[in-house]
Amino acid sequence: MADPNLPGQPQQGQPPAYGQPDPAYGQPQPQPGYAAQQTTVVAAPQPMMMTTVITKTQPSSHLGLAIFSMLCCFLPTGIVAVVFAAMVDGAWQNGEEDKAHNYSKNAKCWSIASIVLGVVSIVLVIVIVVVYFVVIVASVATVVGNAWDNVDWTPDVSTIIP
């Protein structure tokens, strides 16, 4: 009989393919001299526990918008927006989440109000300046025109000849 471990000899059983576990792996092996025992495992269904994880995020303070609206648009309401924006972080760190969200909302509203009031006031100033200069130019033209109309353009010869 040929030795099955020698190269070139036919092998009796094929080993499992590379990466495939041995079918008997993890199974209880009978001990020599004892009969194999049958083991049955019954798994009872476990109650499902639903866990909901709520992550709370800090609201935006809108501080950049508030500073912009204060410096570039309308100062009085911009100051109110900056004050509310500065209060957001303190309320959040103290655990007052509702106050932090409320301060954030107020900062945004006051910033938007400041921007709207700033744009309206700029447009209003432009209109007033344009109307003012149109009225001034028209009145000056009328005064100058009337003054030129009253000038006698005929030369006075008596002053030229002695």
Side-chain angles (χ1 to χ4, degrees):
M1 170 122 184
D3 186 12
N5 295 329
L6 293 176
Q9 298 294 323
Q11 294 186 0
Q12 299 293 327
Q14 294 292 325
Y18 180 74
Q20 298 293 324
D22 184 13
Y25 181 76
Q27 301 295 322
Q29 302 296 322
Q31 293 184 1
Y34 293 99
Q37 296 178 351
Q38 183 84 17
T39 304
T40 304
V41 177
V42 177
Q46 299 293 321
M48 292 290 278
M49 296 289 291
M50 295 292 287
T51 304
T52 304
V53 177
I54 299 174
T55 57
K56 297 179 180 178
T57 57
Q58 180 176 356
S60 174
S61 65
H62 304 289
L63 185 61
L65 179 64
I67 291 173
F68 169 77
S69 67
M70 180 185 71
L71 295 177
C72 298
C73 296
F74 196 69
L75 185 65
T77 54
I79 292 172
V80 175
V82 169
V83 169
F84 275 118
M87 292 169 44
V88 171
D89 290 335
W92 182 262
Q93 290 173 355
N94 290 337
E96 299 170 334
E97 298 163 7
D98 293 336
K99 279 188 177 180
H101 285 284
N102 192 21
Y103 291 153
S104 174
K105 187 176 88 171
N106 285 339
K108 185 177 180 182
C109 289
W110 281 103
S111 296
I112 292 171
S114 179
I115 291 169
V116 168
L117 287 173
V119 169
V120 167
S121 63
I122 289 170
V123 168
L124 188 63
V125 166
I126 289 172
V127 168
I128 289 172
V129 167
V130 168
V131 168
Y132 179 76
F133 279 114
V134 167
V135 168
I136 293 296
V137 168
S139 64
V140 168
T142 303
V143 169
V144 170
N146 290 339
W148 284 104
D149 289 341
N150 294 333
V151 174
D152 184 17
W153 293 102
T154 58
D156 186 12
V157 184
S158 63
T159 59
I160 298 176
I161 303 173

